[in-house]
Amino acid sequence: MKFRTKQAASMLLAAGFGCAAVGSAYAAESLQDVMKRRNLSQQDLLAASKTYVPTGKRDEFVAFSSGGQSGQVIVYGIPSMRILKYIGVFTPEPWQGYGFDESSKAVLAQGKIDGKDITWGDTHHPAMSETQGQYDGQFLFINDKANPRLAVIDLRDFETKQIVVNPIYKSEHGGAFVTPNTEYVIEAAQYATPLENKKFYPLEEFNEKYRGGVTYWKFDRKEGRIDPKKSFSVELPPYSQDLSDAGKGPSDGWSFTNSFCTERYVGGIEKGRPPYEAGCSAKDTDYMHVINWKKAAELVAAGRAKKINGHDVLMLDTSIKEGVVFLVPEPKSPHGVDVTPDGKFITVSGKLDTHVSVYSFEKIQAAIKAGKFESKDPYGLPVINMKDALHTQVQLGLGPLHTQYDAKPCVAYTSLYVDSQVAKWNYCEGKVLDKISVHYNIGHLMTMEGDSMDPKGRYLVALNKLSIDRFAPVGPLHPQNHQLIDISDDKMQLLYDMPLPLGEPHYVVAIEASKLKPGVRYKVGTDSRTDKKHAGAVRAGEEKTVRTGNKVEVFGTLIRSHITPETIEAEVGDEIIINLTNLERAQDETHGFAVSTYNVHASIEPGKTVQVKFKADKEGVYPYYCTEFCSALHLEMQGYLLVKPKGWKPTKTAMSAGTNYSEADYKAQLKKVVDTQAVIDSVVGYITGVNYKDFPDVVAMMDDAVDQLGKIKDAKAKADEAAGKKDWNNATLWTEQIWQYQVKAADLGLRAKTYLEQNGAKKAK
Ligand code: K7E
Ligand code: CUA
């Protein structure tokens, strides 16, 4: 069924389509010329060569950044710093149809709080799923600080699958952090509130009625979902619990959460009291919470928890009695708590202290075993003396925040917010190794897999809160600045500034690109948000529109360049449900679907089925179309929703349309024919490359396709004849007809290909 590509090409050439080489008036610039013209140093060139990823090549690492107040996840490559994707999480993402088709609306609806839609989020800390303390590239978790929620993203398709709402908090910051086998996803409260969170208690009862806590969300890896019923929380005093980290190796089974404002100060400058910031940093130390989560889980399983809002909470008295929670003083207003890759140490930075403190897990355990405590906190929790728990303290600089680890043993990097620097230091020996300035006011920093048991070193990204003068000005609100730093040598080297123009990305995790194994298509008929077969899925040829009462339900399909059905007829007031399956198997052949003025949009990747639903509440004519430029006839991927007045009767039945094509139209038509042939050739190549003759259905489809192509000869003769007479209108229409035959053949070929792929075709002998 080879069509005459050669003939088509010669037709094009005859029509004057030959492409002459463009003459150049300029001599090529040398590297030296460019350096001079752009004022680049040798150092710049070295940095550029370390980040430049030529076309066709790929990045070594893939980073997942929180989108901050924009509530989604930003995916980019390292070292190129090229953005690859935005993943809609807590916020609708129109281009993905996220929040505009029924399945994704259902995911967002899981994030409703007390029945209220919350369509933004303050994403802070993404976490990669781990197996034995190593990134496994399967799932990503991220928290919403403003509205205490956590989301699960499946990295097979980079889509958000689940949102869970914390049943007892009003905010949460210390999440998401996973235990070494992703048994639990940890989430700590931030601002203390009453745990029975629908009740009011005055601030005067802060000490008695307000509480903090840490939640351990149980992750069911087989289902790829959090299981709220098997999740639990540990009640904590109303200290503002902040970041957390899970123990690993020797400290597996424990988790660590720091806190600020253990003064339990409640502001009220309006009543003449000193403000929060004064009252919340009066003491020299706050508390690191050391929690035996394995024991807590056992106690919960044994029925020792209290149900609050239907959720298991291990109350303070039980934790104290059973030795679940211990406190260790930590320097003033700490921010980061980061367990070393070997699980032996925990580093804590006090924002208002110049040191980073390295705690020894072994020493903490020895103090617990010996029952050696310096005091009890006001709630009765045992407090370990700081000296009994410290391994060392290192003076780093002003405003230390977060720490990440290198592949090199004992090497850590800590962000210095006030100094706008990154400090490289040795946590075993307690000494500073190097410092580099960043631009400006760094929050988190991130090394490759740097919070796992097996950091990969190589690069560090500084997440700077301010960019000030780094980029072309775009008004008072500046982009964030992610700076890439080479950490492979002793001296750190700044390589690249990447502006991030969305929200305030707080934290990023980066994984070796080779560990990610996303799919390129769904099994035909998949609901991507549930991973199950979609009830509205149909195969080619099974398309139908069903009317029941005043409900019109469409079971349609999409394939280049056709939406089935081409018209949807309804009456005012009808409920319209449109199910669409993308029949494409080809990589990257996504179709979109939009209906004018009804606020529906879907992104339908190969194999996916989606449903959009709305009420046709106004009579009129509403075009619908494909929103992805999917083929040469993308614009023709269209149809009409006809919303008739009640009881409307037709008076005219013949169609009227007018055409008058030109020579240019004819040439465009010819090009389309050539392009389509390339698609046909590749499909034929695949089919004839496998044992398609063993599949009678495929043989039938191939016969159909050959039939279609067989009709081309006649149409072409007519097109040529018309063109010879410069009758461009008929030449164009007949060429269009050639193309129609091609499309039908291609459609059949693609269906045959799908069939073969789904039915285990093997390479032809
Ligand atoms: Cu901004 Cu981890 Cu929320 Cu620090 S966090 S900077
Ligand atoms: Cu499908 Cu454009």
Coordinates of all heavy atoms in Angstrom, one line a residue, residues 639-703:
G639 N -16.7 20.8 15.7 CA -18.0 20.4 15.7 C -19.0 21.4 16.2 O -18.5 22.5 16.7
Y640 N -20.2 21.2 16.2 CA -21.2 22.1 16.8 C -22.1 21.5 17.8 O -22.7 20.4 17.5 CB -22.1 22.7 15.6 CG -21.4 23.8 14.8 CD1 -21.0 23.5 13.5 CD2 -21.2 25.0 15.3 CE1 -20.4 24.5 12.7 CE2 -20.6 26.0 14.6 CZ -20.2 25.7 13.3 OH -19.5 26.7 12.5
L641 N -22.2 22.2 18.9 CA -23.3 21.9 19.8 C -24.5 22.8 19.5 O -24.3 24.0 19.5 CB -22.8 22.1 21.3 CG -23.9 22.2 22.4 CD1 -24.6 20.8 22.5 CD2 -23.4 22.7 23.7
L642 N -25.6 22.2 19.1 CA -26.7 23.0 18.7 C -27.8 22.9 19.8 O -28.3 21.8 20.1 CB -27.3 22.4 17.4 CG -26.3 22.3 16.2 CD1 -26.8 21.4 15.1 CD2 -25.9 23.7 15.7
V643 N -28.0 24.0 20.4 CA -29.0 24.1 21.5 C -30.2 24.8 21.0 O -30.2 26.0 20.8 CB -28.4 24.8 22.7 CG1 -29.4 24.8 23.9 CG2 -27.1 24.1 23.2
K644 N -31.2 24.0 20.8 CA -32.4 24.5 20.1 C -33.4 24.9 21.2 O -33.5 24.4 22.3 CB -33.1 23.4 19.3 CG -32.1 22.7 18.3 CD -32.8 21.5 17.7 CE -31.7 20.6 17.2 NZ -32.3 19.3 16.8
P645 N -34.3 25.9 20.8 CA -35.4 26.2 21.7 C -36.3 25.0 21.8 O -36.4 24.2 20.9 CB -36.1 27.4 20.9 CG -35.3 27.7 19.8 CD -34.3 26.6 19.5
K646 N -37.0 25.0 22.9 CA -37.9 23.9 23.1 C -39.0 23.8 22.0 O -39.5 24.8 21.6 CB -38.6 24.1 24.5 CG -37.8 23.7 25.7 CD -38.6 22.9 26.7 CE -37.8 22.5 27.9 NZ -36.4 22.1 27.8
G647 N -39.2 22.6 21.5 CA -40.2 22.3 20.5 C -39.8 22.9 19.1 O -40.7 22.9 18.2
W648 N -38.6 23.2 18.9 CA -38.1 23.7 17.6 C -38.3 22.7 16.5 O -38.0 21.5 16.7 CB -36.7 24.2 17.7 CG -36.2 24.8 16.4 CD1 -36.3 26.1 16.0 CD2 -35.4 24.2 15.4 NE1 -35.7 26.3 14.8 CE2 -35.1 25.1 14.4 CE3 -35.0 22.8 15.2 CZ2 -34.4 24.8 13.2 CZ3 -34.3 22.5 14.0 CH2 -34.0 23.5 13.1
K649 N -38.8 23.1 15.2 CA -38.9 22.2 14.1 C -38.1 22.7 12.9 O -38.2 23.9 12.6 CB -40.4 22.1 13.7 CG -41.3 21.3 14.7 CD -41.4 19.9 14.4 CE -42.2 19.0 15.3 NZ -42.2 19.4 16.7
P650 N -37.4 21.9 12.2 CA -36.6 22.4 11.0 C -37.6 22.7 9.8 O -38.6 22.1 9.7 CB -35.7 21.2 10.6 CG -36.5 20.0 11.2 CD -37.2 20.4 12.4
T651 N -37.1 23.8 9.1 CA -37.9 24.2 7.9 C -37.1 24.0 6.6 O -37.6 23.9 5.5 CB -38.4 25.6 8.0 OG1 -37.2 26.4 8.3 CG2 -39.4 25.8 9.1
K652 N -35.8 23.9 6.7 CA -34.9 23.8 5.6 C -34.0 22.6 5.8 O -33.5 22.4 6.9 CB -34.1 25.1 5.5 CG -33.2 25.1 4.3 CD -32.4 26.4 4.2 CE -31.5 26.4 2.9 NZ -30.3 27.1 3.1
T653 N -33.8 21.7 4.8 CA -33.0 20.5 5.0 C -31.7 20.5 4.2 O -30.8 19.8 4.5 CB -33.8 19.3 4.7 OG1 -34.5 19.5 3.4 CG2 -34.8 19.0 5.8
A654 N -31.7 21.3 3.0 CA -30.5 21.3 2.2 C -29.4 22.1 2.8 O -29.7 23.2 3.4 CB -30.8 21.7 0.8
M655 N -28.1 21.7 2.7 CA -27.0 22.4 3.2 C -26.6 23.5 2.2 O -26.7 23.3 1.0 CB -25.8 21.5 3.3 CG -25.9 20.6 4.5 SD -25.5 21.4 6.0 CE -25.6 20.1 7.2
S656 N -26.1 24.6 2.7 CA -25.6 25.6 1.8 C -24.1 26.0 2.2 O -23.9 26.2 3.4 CB -26.4 26.9 1.8 OG -26.4 27.5 3.0
A657 N -23.2 26.0 1.2 CA -21.8 26.3 1.5 C -21.2 26.8 0.3 O -21.6 26.5 -0.8 CB -21.1 25.1 2.0
G658 N -20.2 27.7 0.4 CA -19.6 28.2 -0.8 C -18.1 28.1 -0.8 O -17.5 28.4 0.2
T659 N -17.5 27.8 -1.9 CA -16.1 27.7 -2.0 C -15.6 28.3 -3.3 O -16.3 28.3 -4.3 CB -15.6 26.3 -2.0 OG1 -16.1 25.6 -3.1 CG2 -15.9 25.6 -0.7
N660 N -14.4 28.8 -3.2 CA -13.7 29.3 -4.4 C -12.2 29.3 -4.2 O -11.6 30.3 -3.7 CB -14.2 30.7 -4.8 CG -13.7 31.2 -6.2 OD1 -13.2 30.3 -6.9 ND2 -13.7 32.4 -6.4
Y661 N -11.6 28.2 -4.4 CA -10.2 28.0 -4.0 C -9.2 28.5 -5.1 O -9.5 28.6 -6.2 CB -9.9 26.5 -3.8 CG -10.7 26.0 -2.6 CD1 -11.7 25.0 -2.7 CD2 -10.4 26.5 -1.3 CE1 -12.4 24.6 -1.7 CE2 -11.1 26.0 -0.2 CZ -12.1 25.0 -0.4 OH -12.8 24.6 0.7
S662 N -8.1 28.9 -4.5 CA -7.0 29.5 -5.4 C -5.9 28.5 -5.6 O -5.9 27.4 -5.0 CB -6.5 30.7 -4.7 OG -5.8 30.3 -3.5
E663 N -4.9 28.9 -6.3 CA -3.7 28.1 -6.6 C -3.0 27.8 -5.3 O -2.5 26.7 -5.1 CB -2.8 28.8 -7.6 CG -1.6 27.9 -8.0 CD -0.7 28.6 -9.0 OE1 -0.9 29.8 -9.3 OE2 0.2 27.9 -9.4
A664 N -2.9 28.8 -4.4 CA -2.2 28.7 -3.1 C -3.0 27.6 -2.3 O -2.3 26.8 -1.6 CB -2.2 30.0 -2.3
D665 N -4.3 27.6 -2.3 CA -5.0 26.6 -1.6 C -4.7 25.2 -2.1 O -4.5 24.2 -1.4 CB -6.5 26.8 -1.8 CG -7.0 28.1 -1.2 OD1 -6.5 28.5 -0.1 OD2 -7.9 28.7 -1.8
Y666 N -4.6 25.1 -3.4 CA -4.3 23.9 -4.1 C -2.9 23.4 -3.6 O -2.7 22.2 -3.2 CB -4.3 24.0 -5.6 CG -3.8 22.9 -6.4 CD1 -4.3 21.6 -6.2 CD2 -2.7 23.0 -7.2 CE1 -3.8 20.5 -7.0 CE2 -2.2 22.0 -8.0 CZ -2.7 20.7 -7.8 OH -2.2 19.7 -8.5
K667 N -1.9 24.3 -3.5 CA -0.6 23.9 -3.1 C -0.6 23.4 -1.7 O 0.1 22.5 -1.3 CB 0.4 25.1 -3.3 CG 0.8 25.3 -4.8 CD 1.7 26.5 -4.9 CE 2.0 26.8 -6.3 NZ 2.6 28.1 -6.5
A668 N -1.3 24.1 -0.9 CA -1.4 23.8 0.6 C -2.0 22.4 0.7 O -1.5 21.5 1.5 CB -2.2 24.8 1.3
Q669 N -3.0 22.1 -0.1 CA -3.6 20.8 -0.1 C -2.6 19.7 -0.5 O -2.6 18.7 0.1 CB -4.8 20.9 -1.2 CG -5.9 20.0 -0.9 CD -6.7 20.5 0.3 OE1 -6.3 20.4 1.5 NE2 -7.8 21.2 0.1
L670 N -1.8 20.0 -1.5 CA -0.8 19.0 -1.9 C 0.2 18.7 -0.8 O 0.6 17.6 -0.6 CB 0.0 19.6 -3.1 CG -0.7 19.6 -4.5 CD1 0.3 20.2 -5.5 CD2 -1.1 18.1 -4.9
K671 N 0.6 19.7 -0.1 CA 1.5 19.5 1.0 C 1.0 18.6 2.1 O 1.6 17.7 2.6 CB 1.9 20.9 1.6 CG 3.0 20.7 2.8 CD 3.4 22.1 3.3 CE 4.4 21.9 4.4 NZ 4.2 20.8 5.3
K672 N -0.3 18.9 2.4 CA -1.0 18.0 3.4 C -1.0 16.6 3.0 O -0.8 15.7 3.8 CB -2.5 18.5 3.4 CG -3.1 18.6 4.8 CD -4.4 19.4 4.7 CE -5.4 18.8 3.8 NZ -6.6 19.5 3.7
V673 N -1.2 16.3 1.7 CA -1.2 15.0 1.2 C 0.2 14.3 1.4 O 0.3 13.2 1.9 CB -1.5 15.0 -0.3 CG1 -1.2 13.6 -0.9 CG2 -3.0 15.3 -0.4
V674 N 1.3 15.1 1.2 CA 2.6 14.5 1.4 C 2.9 14.3 2.9 O 3.4 13.2 3.2 CB 3.7 15.6 0.9 CG1 5.1 15.1 1.2 CG2 3.5 15.7 -0.7
D675 N 2.5 15.2 3.7 CA 2.7 15.0 5.2 C 1.9 13.8 5.7 O 2.4 13.0 6.5 CB 2.2 16.2 6.0 CG 3.1 17.4 5.7 OD1 4.2 17.3 5.2 OD2 2.6 18.6 6.1
T676 N 0.7 13.6 5.2 CA -0.1 12.5 5.7 C 0.5 11.2 5.2 O 0.5 10.2 6.0 CB -1.5 12.7 5.2 OG1 -2.0 14.0 5.5 CG2 -2.5 11.6 5.8
Q677 N 1.1 11.2 4.0 CA 1.7 10.0 3.6 C 2.8 9.5 4.5 O 3.0 8.3 4.7 CB 2.2 10.2 2.1 CG 2.6 8.9 1.5 CD 1.5 7.9 1.4 OE1 0.3 8.2 1.2 NE2 1.8 6.6 1.7
A678 N 3.5 10.5 5.1 CA 4.6 10.1 6.0 C 4.1 9.4 7.2 O 4.7 8.4 7.7 CB 5.4 11.4 6.4
V679 N 2.9 9.8 7.7 CA 2.3 9.1 8.8 C 1.9 7.7 8.4 O 2.1 6.7 9.1 CB 1.0 9.9 9.3 CG1 0.3 9.1 10.4 CG2 1.4 11.3 9.8
I680 N 1.3 7.6 7.2 CA 0.8 6.3 6.7 C 2.0 5.4 6.6 O 2.0 4.2 7.0 CB 0.1 6.4 5.4 CG1 -1.2 7.2 5.6 CG2 -0.1 5.1 4.7 CD1 -2.0 7.5 4.3
D681 N 3.1 5.9 6.0 CA 4.3 5.0 5.8 C 4.8 4.5 7.1 O 5.2 3.3 7.2 CB 5.4 5.8 5.1 CG 5.0 6.1 3.6 OD1 4.1 5.5 3.1 OD2 5.7 7.0 3.0
S682 N 4.8 5.4 8.2 CA 5.4 4.9 9.5 C 4.4 3.8 10.1 O 4.9 2.9 10.7 CB 5.6 6.1 10.4 OG 4.5 6.3 11.3
V683 N 3.1 4.0 9.9 CA 2.2 3.0 10.5 C 2.4 1.7 9.7 O 2.4 0.6 10.3 CB 0.8 3.6 10.4 CG1 -0.2 2.5 10.9 CG2 0.6 4.8 11.3
V684 N 2.4 1.8 8.4 CA 2.6 0.6 7.6 C 3.9 -0.1 8.0 O 4.0 -1.3 8.1 CB 2.6 1.0 6.1 CG1 3.0 -0.2 5.3 CG2 1.2 1.5 5.7
G685 N 4.9 0.7 8.2 CA 6.2 0.2 8.6 C 6.1 -0.7 9.9 O 6.6 -1.8 10.0
Y686 N 5.3 -0.1 10.9 CA 5.1 -0.8 12.1 C 4.4 -2.1 11.9 O 4.8 -3.2 12.3 CB 4.4 0.0 13.1 CG 3.9 -0.8 14.3 CD1 4.8 -1.1 15.4 CD2 2.7 -1.4 14.4 CE1 4.4 -1.9 16.5 CE2 2.3 -2.2 15.4 CZ 3.2 -2.4 16.5 OH 2.8 -3.2 17.5
I687 N 3.3 -2.0 11.2 CA 2.4 -3.2 11.0 C 3.1 -4.3 10.2 O 3.0 -5.5 10.6 CB 1.1 -2.7 10.3 CG1 0.3 -1.8 11.1 CG2 0.2 -4.0 9.9 CD1 -0.9 -1.1 10.5
T688 N 3.7 -3.9 9.2 CA 4.4 -5.0 8.4 C 5.6 -5.5 9.1 O 6.2 -6.5 8.7 CB 4.8 -4.5 7.0 OG1 5.5 -3.3 7.1 CG2 3.5 -4.2 6.1
G689 N 6.1 -4.8 10.1 CA 7.2 -5.2 10.9 C 6.9 -6.2 12.0 O 7.7 -6.8 12.6
V690 N 5.6 -6.5 12.2 CA 5.1 -7.5 13.2 C 4.3 -8.5 12.5 O 4.0 -8.4 11.3 CB 4.3 -6.8 14.3 CG1 5.2 -5.8 15.1 CG2 3.0 -6.2 13.8
N691 N 3.9 -9.5 13.2 CA 3.2 -10.7 12.7 C 1.7 -10.4 12.5 O 0.8 -11.1 13.0 CB 3.3 -11.9 13.6 CG 2.9 -11.6 15.0 OD1 2.9 -10.5 15.4 ND2 2.5 -12.7 15.7
Y692 N 1.4 -9.3 11.8 CA 0.0 -8.8 11.7 C -0.9 -9.8 11.0 O -2.1 -9.9 11.2 CB -0.1 -7.5 11.0 CG 0.0 -7.5 9.5 CD1 -1.2 -7.5 8.7 CD2 1.2 -7.5 8.9 CE1 -1.1 -7.5 7.3 CE2 1.3 -7.5 7.5 CZ 0.1 -7.6 6.7 OH 0.2 -7.6 5.4
K693 N -0.3 -10.7 10.2 CA -1.1 -11.7 9.4 C -1.8 -12.7 10.3 O -2.7 -13.4 10.0 CB -0.3 -12.3 8.3 CG -0.1 -11.4 7.2 CD 0.7 -12.0 6.0 CE 1.0 -11.0 5.0 NZ 2.2 -11.3 4.2
D694 N -1.2 -12.8 11.6 CA -1.8 -13.7 12.5 C -3.1 -13.2 13.2 O -3.7 -13.9 14.0 CB -0.8 -14.1 13.6 CG 0.4 -14.8 13.1 OD1 0.4 -15.3 11.9 OD2 1.5 -14.8 13.8
F695 N -3.4 -11.9 12.9 CA -4.6 -11.3 13.5 C -5.6 -11.0 12.5 O -5.5 -10.0 11.7 CB -4.2 -10.0 14.2 CG -3.2 -10.3 15.3 CD1 -1.8 -10.3 15.1 CD2 -3.6 -10.5 16.7 CE1 -0.9 -10.5 16.1 CE2 -2.7 -10.7 17.7 CZ -1.3 -10.7 17.4
P696 N -6.7 -11.8 12.3 CA -7.7 -11.6 11.3 C -8.3 -10.2 11.3 O -8.6 -9.6 10.3 CB -8.7 -12.7 11.6 CG -8.1 -13.7 12.5 CD -7.0 -13.0 13.2
D697 N -8.6 -9.7 12.5 CA -9.2 -8.3 12.6 C -8.3 -7.3 11.9 O -8.8 -6.3 11.3 CB -9.4 -7.9 14.1 CG -10.6 -8.7 14.7 OD1 -11.3 -9.4 13.9 OD2 -10.8 -8.6 15.9
V698 N -7.0 -7.4 12.2 CA -6.0 -6.5 11.6 C -6.0 -6.6 10.1 O -6.0 -5.7 9.3 CB -4.6 -6.7 12.2 CG1 -3.6 -5.8 11.5 CG2 -4.7 -6.3 13.7
V699 N -6.0 -7.9 9.6 CA -6.0 -8.1 8.2 C -7.2 -7.4 7.5 O -7.1 -6.8 6.5 CB -5.9 -9.6 7.9 CG1 -6.1 -9.9 6.4 CG2 -4.6 -10.2 8.4
A700 N -8.3 -7.5 8.2 CA -9.6 -6.9 7.7 C -9.4 -5.4 7.6 O -9.8 -4.7 6.7 CB -10.7 -7.2 8.6
M701 N -8.8 -4.8 8.7 CA -8.6 -3.3 8.7 C -7.6 -2.9 7.6 O -7.8 -1.9 7.0 CB -8.1 -2.9 10.1 CG -9.1 -2.8 11.2 SD -8.5 -2.0 12.7 CE -8.3 -3.4 13.8
M702 N -6.6 -3.7 7.4 CA -5.6 -3.4 6.3 C -6.3 -3.5 5.0 O -6.0 -2.6 4.1 CB -4.5 -4.5 6.4 CG -3.6 -4.4 7.6 SD -2.6 -2.9 7.6 CE -1.2 -3.5 6.6
D703 N -7.2 -4.5 4.8 CA -8.0 -4.5 3.5 C -8.8 -3.2 3.3 O -8.8 -2.7 2.2 CB -8.9 -5.7 3.5 CG -8.2 -7.0 3.4 OD1 -7.0 -7.0 3.0 OD2 -8.8 -8.1 3.6

